[in-house]
Amino acid sequence: MASSSKKEHVMEDDSEEEEEEFEHFDDYTLASSWERFISEIEAVCRQWLASGPKNLLEKGAVPLGEPKNLYKVKSELKYAMKNYCMEYYFEISNAGNTEDWNSTLHDLQLSFGVKEFMVIAPQSASGVILDSPEASKLLSAVAIAFSNCSSLWPAFVPVHDPSRKAYIGIQNMGTVFTRRFEGDLIATQVPVKLMHLEGLYELFVSKFAFSSSDLSTHFFRVHFTMKLTYKTLPYDDDDNEVIKSEYEINESGQENGVDNRNKLQWDDDCPWSEWYTAEDPLKAFELIATWEEKTVESSMEMAELENASIHEAHKWFIVPEFSSYLMGDYLGKMVGFASQLGLLIDALAMSLEVKFMEDFVSAETLGSDKLKSSAVVPPPTVLDRVLKDLCHEGPGVISHESSHKSSRIIKGAPLETLFAQFCLHSLWFGDCNIRAIAVLWIEFIREVRWCWEESQPLPRMPVNGTIDLSTCLVNQKLQMLAICIEKRRQQLDDKQDGVGDSNSDSPSVEVEASDVANEDLSHTSRAKEGLIKESVSTSTSNANLEFSNNDNKRRGSAGVVETMMLLNSPNYMHAPFTQDPPIMTEDMHEERLHAVEVLGDSFSFSGQLEKDILSSDMSAFKAANPEATFEDFIRWHSPKDWEDDSSSSASSKKKWPPGGKLSERMSDPGNSWRKIWNDAPPLPASKQKPLMDPNREGEKILHYLETVRPHQLLEQMVCTAFQAAADTLNQTSFGGLKNMTTKIDQLYPTMASALRPLQANKLHGDPEIIEDLKRLCVVFEHVEKLLTLAASLHRKFLHAPRLSQTIFNNFYNFYLPKMGKASVGGDTNKELVNKKEEVRVNERDVVTSMFVQPSANQSWRKVLSMGNLLNGHEPMLREIVFSLRDRVDSSYHAPRSQWSHEQEIETHRMYICGTSNDLRVALSVTSCD
């Protein structure tokens, strides 16, 4: 019984185990999570395949920017509690070749020789898969999904550390072949052997050679292409520091300016170098040399290629590297004319607060917070040096050749004149604050007054007897003061000559002859030069310089007037030497016009205003023509007021007496001209009282300069500073670049339009003027940057002007739409940097000369280890593509028949990218599964 009960118990346990196994069996008809993951990948892949590139683009595919032709779409997936992102990269057009070094390619395209591809990566901080089994499983899932939907896209999975940019990948070739990819980076301790072409060649061959002995005994037909990238020497750190001005002062108070530089700067021969040193807009150049594909059969050939000249390369390309202030958000931070003009505009805005320039220097005015913050004034040593430079004798004749053809539309002062130089010095005096400007102006006027009191010529101011009314009022005043000083010197010289001659006993005839000799022959325009006989008149004039028994003697004659005879005497009329009309500045002309408007009768008042001039002319005419009448003077001075007889002809004009009569207005008995004629004594111009008193006018000018309102002075300084700065930049030699010339031509009308309110004294009523001037500074800075770049290119490519023009035009087209905006933006930097220009064969020597031999004190230079040297420079980057090709039958498993055909496939491909510090290798192998 016991045994039977035990047996029953065992049978019960077996039945329970069978029931348990039946209840927990695996149903293989249900999909696992991995299979569902594959299905999701397949569904996404089918959707993208069905849409095609064009439809994907319409559905929101994202452009990569660089390369331009590449786009991507993405989809998020989840497997085993992890999120993955699958990205599909595709091109719209199939232009370009993955073996073409000139094409801009994605890293994976260049590394593995693919066009469109898929990348699947985990959505994590690193974005890579560190577990190798997980990476293999993920790649297998993608390969199965692609096989199910007949997709030929290569798929990649990022692995290892993110800095290594390592990938593994797989691609179904559509037949029996499968392509596998693997890429990695050696970041430290690159073997010396792999730094040379010979070692890299053996590395590639080792991937398909059966043993190391095959490397020396067998010759493999390896296809090879190479790209070398060189970079010119970077500038030292102190070269990149912009010297703000030659007036910068260090803490000890000593000068620290341009003159203290112990080496040449790149722009020493540029016109702006007198004021500041600009940072070179071209930091460096990259030279890219490419070799077209060739077949190599041994490592010895690679060793020879490493020692070959770079001039044997198939193509050269040059890529400029621009300075950050050209490319980034650096508006207003570039030290140049534009930055200083902005500070001058700030000073203009503050000039409205006080009435006199001295107020900005006084201690009471310095209580203002604004003035305290900008109260930096250079020490007296710098002030003395500026004044010494200003007082240095400039050109005697101001030439407009150095100025732009449109420069005169701005009411400033010519570049070489004293006031223009003062304005340019003010830009760099201290930090161009209002107090520093006031100090400089006060000392400047003291120097001007010293020149006046000592009768010394005013430097940098021409003395040509005329006032240029197209310039600003301060320049007109200085020009008139220079003329007054010159006239004052002449008066002093005449007095000294008079004292010396007072004791001499000379006949009266000699005294009268000297009156004629002392006439100013440079003013014959006042003697109606078009009516004087040049040959006959001289002899006739000399013959008539005789004395009569009475006081009617001829004095101050400039010559005989052609075809005109006196009315009361059968003698020819003589044109007298006359005094120059008094010179007047713009404000003096305005005062006269205002007086005319107030008095109403413009003609009558004009006669009163010109009474002194008219009386002087009448006196001189009487002295030259003792027998003349009032009618004779009118015939010479105002021919329109003399009405000839209708019967008179050109041949009868020489007959005496001449016919005709005075006009109606001159024949009026109360005419003011006849009264002046009756009162005018017969005196030659040399004996008359000068029409202009240089002493009185000089003191009036100095009073204006010493009491000018600050805002009136600053308004003229701003206009002159803009004009002088533009004229200085206009002297830059940039090779006649058309776009640059056009931009400079456009700058002057822009400045004239923005500065016009200052000339109309509208600053008080319109606060927007300051903002407009600030915007003008931005425009000026853009032009200044472009001009600096043009000058730098011209100097570097003096013997290769095509490269200079092409590089500048590329940058100009990139930069032009940004002009006038607050920032350029850095996202488009790559687009410009990657712009390669092909170097022609005849231009290679010019580019080679830019790679100067490295000096021993350059700390960045290491022991050369890569070969392929260019003037002592090893390549900063070397890229190589090795490939091995083989012809295989497309129907690998089928029996060979007459319809079977072979095709050439790339069985092995290796992309190598190396520097002197790291080596990146990407290998793709095609195999038969």
Side-chain angles (χ1 to χ4, degrees):
M1 292 295 296
S3 59
S4 61
S5 62
K6 186 176 181 180
K7 185 176 181 180
E8 290 177 0
H9 182 71
V10 171
M11 291 178 64
E12 288 178 2
D13 291 340
D14 291 341
S15 62
E16 288 179 2
E17 289 178 2
E18 289 178 1
E19 288 179 1
E20 264 183 45
E21 290 179 2
F22 181 76
E23 290 176 358
H24 296 87
F25 77 98
D26 291 330
D27 187 358
Y28 290 99
T29 61
L30 297 178
S32 64
S33 59
W34 188 62
E35 290 173 328
R36 287 193 296 271
F37 180 57
I38 295 175
S39 178
E40 292 178 10
I41 297 175
E42 181 180 343
V44 174
C45 182
R46 289 183 182 276
Q47 182 181 356
W48 288 344
L49 283 171
S51 298
K54 292 185 178 180
N55 291 331
L56 289 177
L57 191 61
E58 295 176 357
K59 293 179 180 180
V62 180
L64 264 66
E66 285 295 331
K68 291 183 178 180
N69 193 36
L70 197 63
Y71 299 82
K72 74 173 182 178
V73 290
K74 65 180 181 179
S75 178
E76 296 181 359
L77 305 172
K78 188 174 182 180
Y79 170 66
M81 303 301 292
K82 286 188 177 181
N83 295 323
Y84 295 92
C85 180
M86 187 167 64
E87 297 177 332
Y88 169 48
Y89 295 78
F90 62 94
E91 296 178 349
I92 296 299
S93 63
N94 292 325
N97 186 1
T98 56
E99 304 296 337
D100 185 9
W101 294 115
N102 301 332
S103 302
T104 305
L105 302 174
H106 189 274
D107 287 342
L108 292 178
Q109 289 179 317
L110 184 61
S111 299
F112 299 107
V114 298
K115 285 193 173 182
E116 52 184 358
F117 57 91
M118 184 89 69
V119 176
I120 184 167
Q123 290 185 322
S124 60
S126 63
V128 299
I129 298 177
L130 302 178
D131 184 35
S132 296
E134 180 186 356
S136 300
K137 186 176 183 180
L138 184 61
L139 195 61
S140 299
V142 175
I144 295 173
F146 282 11
S147 178
N148 292 340
C149 61
S150 301
S151 172
L152 302 182
W153 297 337
F156 298 95
V157 175
V159 294
H160 305 307
D161 186 81
S163 61
R164 292 166 60 174
K165 295 182 179 180
Y167 289 89
I168 59 173
I170 192 170
Q171 180 184 13
N172 178 17
M173 302 292 290
T175 57
V176 294
F177 298 105
T178 301
R179 223 173 152 194
R180 288 179 172 82
F181 309 98
E182 184 176 0
D184 205 347
L185 174 72
I186 303 175
T188 56
Q189 296 182 349
V190 179
V192 177
K193 185 176 182 180
L194 297 182
M195 300 297 293
H196 298 279
L197 296 181
E198 183 179 0
L200 296 174
Y201 169 81
E202 293 179 357
L203 173 65
F204 174 67
V205 173
S206 66
K207 300 301 179 181
F208 53 84
F210 292 106
S211 64
S212 59
S213 61
D214 289 344
L215 299 178
S216 57
T217 58
H218 290 79
F219 293 98
F220 302 96
R221 294 182 58 84
V222 175
H223 298 274
F224 162 84
T225 180
M226 180 170 64
K227 171 184 174 182
L228 299 179
T229 303
Y230 298 85
K231 189 173 183 179
T232 56
L233 292 175
Y235 297 108
D236 295 335
D237 292 338
D238 54 331
D239 281 6
N240 292 329
E241 294 177 2
V242 180
I243 302 177
K244 294 185 66 175
S245 71
E246 60 175 334
Y247 307 123
E248 285 189 348
I249 309 303
N250 56 23
E251 294 180 358
S252 62
Q254 296 179 348
E255 300 176 27
N256 181 23
V258 178
D259 295 336
N260 293 333
R261 293 176 294 174
N262 56 4
K263 59 181 176 179
L264 295 177
Q265 301 293 327
W266 76 272
D267 59 348
D268 276 344
D269 58 342
C270 294
W272 64 75
S273 61
E274 180 183 357
W275 307 103
Y276 67 95
T277 297
E279 179 183 352
D280 196 336
L282 293 167
K283 293 183 63 178
F285 282 96
E286 289 185 4
L287 172 62
I288 300 173
T290 61
W291 275 258
E292 58 184 356
E293 185 175 275
K294 60 191 305 182
T295 303
V296 181
E297 296 185 350
S298 67
S299 58
M300 293 300 296
E301 294 184 37
M302 298 300 298
E304 294 175 0
L305 186 60
E306 184 171 309
N307 297 322
S309 171
I310 189 178
H311 288 271
E312 297 180 7
H314 178 57
K315 288 185 178 181
W316 280 22
F317 297 90
I318 191 168
V319 182
E321 181 180 341
F322 297 100
S323 178
S324 58
Y325 79 85
L326 275 182
M327 304 304 306
D329 301 332
Y330 289 92
L331 282 180
K333 299 180 182 179
M334 170 188 170
V335 176
F337 282 127
S339 63
Q340 304 308 114
L341 288 170
L343 297 176
L344 184 61
I345 293 172
D346 293 337
L348 171 63
M350 298 182 62
S351 65
L352 299 171
E353 299 179 2
V354 297
K355 293 183 178 181
F356 302 103
M357 294 299 289
E358 289 81 358
D359 295 338
F360 288 112
V361 184
S362 62
E364 292 79 5
T365 313
L366 286 179
S368 170
D369 294 336
K370 290 184 179 180
L371 287 178
K372 283 183 177 180
S373 63
S374 61
V376 179
V377 177
T381 54
V382 177
L383 179 61
D384 293 341
R385 185 161 62 89
V386 173
L387 295 175
K388 182 179 179 180
D389 184 72
L390 282 172
C391 295
H392 182 269
E393 187 62 34
V397 179
I398 302 301
S399 173
H400 294 286
E401 295 181 358
S402 60
S403 302
H404 191 270
K405 60 183 180 181
S406 303
S407 178
R408 293 176 66 85
I409 66 176
I410 302 172
K411 201 172 182 63
L415 177 61
E416 297 89 354
T417 57
L418 182 61
F419 186 60
Q421 293 298 309
F422 170 82
C423 292
L424 290 178
H425 276 285
S426 299
L427 294 178
W428 307 98
F429 188 70
D431 57 355
C432 195
N433 63 80
I434 186 63
R435 184 166 180 255
I437 294 174
V439 170
L440 183 59
W441 174 255
I442 293 171
E443 294 299 324
F444 170 70
I445 296 304
R446 287 177 182 172
E447 292 293 327
V448 172
R449 176 168 281 282
W450 179 87
C451 292
W452 166 252
E453 294 175 350
E454 299 296 328
S455 297
Q456 295 297 317
L458 203 59
R460 302 180 184 273
M461 294 305 298
V463 185
N464 52 13
T466 59
I467 301 295
D468 189 355
L469 298 180
S470 66
T471 61
C472 65
L473 185 57
V474 172
N475 184 71
Q476 295 178 39
K477 294 290 185 182
L478 291 173
Q479 194 173 357
M480 186 171 179
L481 182 63
I483 296 173
C484 291
I485 293 175
E486 183 65 23
K487 289 184 178 294
R488 195 179 186 187
R489 288 166 59 90
Q490 291 177 0
Q491 290 180 355
L492 293 175
D493 293 341
D494 292 341
K495 288 182 180 179
Q496 292 176 357
D497 292 342
V499 171
D501 295 339
S502 62
N503 298 326
S504 62
D505 298 330
S506 57
S508 59
V509 177
E510 294 180 4
V511 173
E512 297 300 334
S514 65
D515 290 342
V516 179
N518 290 333
E519 299 290 350
D520 189 356
L521 297 178
S522 65
H523 305 314
T524 55
S525 60
R526 298 282 298 149
K528 309 293 183 182
E529 55 183 323
L531 302 176
I532 299 176
K533 291 183 179 179
E534 294 182 357
S535 57
V536 179
S537 65
T538 304
S539 60
T540 307
S541 176
N542 293 333
N544 283 289
L545 289 176
E546 299 176 354
F547 293 99
S548 60
N549 294 328
N550 52 25
D551 293 336
N552 292 335
K553 50 189 176 182
R554 192 183 309 281
R555 294 174 298 173
S557 173
V560 176
V561 179
E562 185 179 8
T563 71
M564 295 186 73
M565 300 184 73
L566 298 176
L567 292 174
N568 293 342
S569 175
N571 295 324
Y572 283 104
M573 182 185 296
H574 282 248
F577 286 107
T578 58
Q579 293 193 61
D580 287 332
I583 56 176
M584 292 185 291
T585 57
E586 186 178 26
D587 58 336
M588 298 169 67
H589 283 286
E590 291 176 354
E591 288 176 4
R592 288 201 167 193
L593 292 175
H594 179 68
V596 169
E597 293 175 358
V598 171
L599 295 179
D601 187 357
S602 61
F603 175 77
S604 176
F605 185 73
S606 178
Q608 292 295 325
L609 290 175
E610 302 298 332
K611 178 180 178 180
D612 293 340
I613 301 175
L614 190 60
S615 177
S616 173
D617 290 349
M618 288 178 175
S619 295
F621 187 82
K622 282 184 177 182
N625 301 278
E627 299 176 351
T629 62
F630 174 69
E631 288 78 4
D632 291 322
F633 176 77
I634 295 300
R635 292 166 59 209
W636 171 73
H637 191 277
S638 182
K640 67 179 182 178
D641 288 312
W642 180 257
E643 299 175 358
D644 291 329
D645 292 341
S646 58
S647 59
S648 62
S649 61
S651 60
S652 64
K653 287 184 179 180
K654 294 185 179 180
K655 294 181 179 181
W656 185 85
K661 63 177 181 178
L662 291 172
S663 65
E664 182 178 352
R665 72 166 185 145
M666 287 299 176
S667 59
D668 186 1
N671 185 271
S672 60
W673 282 42
R674 186 178 292 276
K675 185 178 183 301
I676 297 172
W677 170 265
N678 295 331
D679 295 338
L683 287 175
S686 60
K687 297 297 183 180
Q688 297 176 12
K689 178 183 178 181
L691 292 174
M692 184 186 77
D693 184 358
N695 295 314
R696 181 184 62 195
E697 296 298 332
E699 289 295 339
K700 289 170 65 177
I701 293 170
L702 287 170
H703 176 74
Y704 167 81
L705 296 176
E706 291 170 346
T707 60
V708 62
R709 293 297 178 92
H711 72 90
Q712 294 177 348
L713 174 63
L714 267 295
E715 287 171 356
Q716 298 178 66
M717 286 183 63
V718 169
C719 295
T720 303
F722 269 102
Q723 180 185 8
D727 286 342
T728 301
L729 295 178
N730 184 58
Q731 299 176 2
T732 306
S733 175
F734 52 83
L737 296 172
K738 185 177 179 180
N739 287 332
M740 190 70 253
T741 303
T742 302
K743 209 62 196 172
I744 293 177
D745 292 343
Q746 295 172 351
L747 176 63
Y748 282 89
T750 303
M751 291 192 300
S753 176
L755 297 173
R756 192 169 293 116
L758 296 183
Q759 302 168 11
N761 296 323
K762 295 181 179 179
L763 185 61
H764 282 282
D766 191 358
E768 289 295 325
I769 294 177
I770 297 296
E771 295 301 321
D772 292 340
L773 294 176
K774 288 289 187 180
R775 286 188 284 269
L776 178 61
C777 285
V778 175
V779 175
F780 196 98
E781 180 176 348
H782 288 308
V783 177
E784 190 173 9
K785 285 181 177 180
L786 289 174
L787 191 61
T788 307
L789 174 61
S792 180
L793 285 170
H794 177 61
R795 281 153 178 74
K796 292 176 174 61
F797 297 101
L798 188 61
H799 300 291
R802 186 196 66 86
L803 282 176
S804 173
Q805 183 173 1
T806 304
I807 294 174
F808 180 81
N809 288 341
N810 290 337
F811 182 85
Y812 180 85
N813 293 330
F814 156 78
Y815 194 76
L816 184 61
K818 277 67 178 179
M819 293 186 66
K821 296 185 179 180
S823 64
V824 174
D827 294 339
T828 53
N829 190 358
K830 288 186 177 180
E831 176 184 350
L832 186 59
V833 170
N834 293 334
K835 183 69 174 180
K836 299 187 288 287
E837 295 301 329
E838 185 174 356
V839 181
R840 296 175 181 175
V841 176
N842 60 341
E843 298 169 335
R844 291 189 177 186
D845 290 337
V846 176
V847 176
T848 302
S849 64
M850 297 170 59
F851 290 84
V852 296
Q853 290 285 349
S855 58
N857 63 349
Q858 288 170 328
S859 59
W860 63 271
R861 187 169 172 233
K862 300 184 294 296
V863 178
L864 301 178
S865 56
M866 293 181 65
N868 297 116
L869 300 183
L870 172 61
N871 285 354
H873 296 256
E874 66 178 7
M876 59 172 289
L877 184 66
R878 178 167 57 193
E879 298 174 80
I880 301 172
V881 174
F882 291 111
S883 62
L884 185 67
R885 299 165 191 165
D886 196 5
R887 302 189 66 86
V888 297
D889 195 337
S890 59
S891 54
Y892 185 80
H893 292 287
R896 184 176 297 274
S897 65
Q898 59 180 345
W899 292 283
S900 300
H901 62 276
E902 293 183 344
Q903 61 177 352
E904 186 178 60
I905 66 171
E906 191 177 62
T907 59
H908 293 77
R909 183 186 187 276
M910 179 180 285
Y911 168 77
I912 301 172
C913 178
T915 68
S916 57
N917 298 319
D918 53 48
L919 185 68
R920 181 182 177 187
V921 180
L923 177 66
S924 62
V925 179
T926 303
S927 60
C928 178
D929 292 340

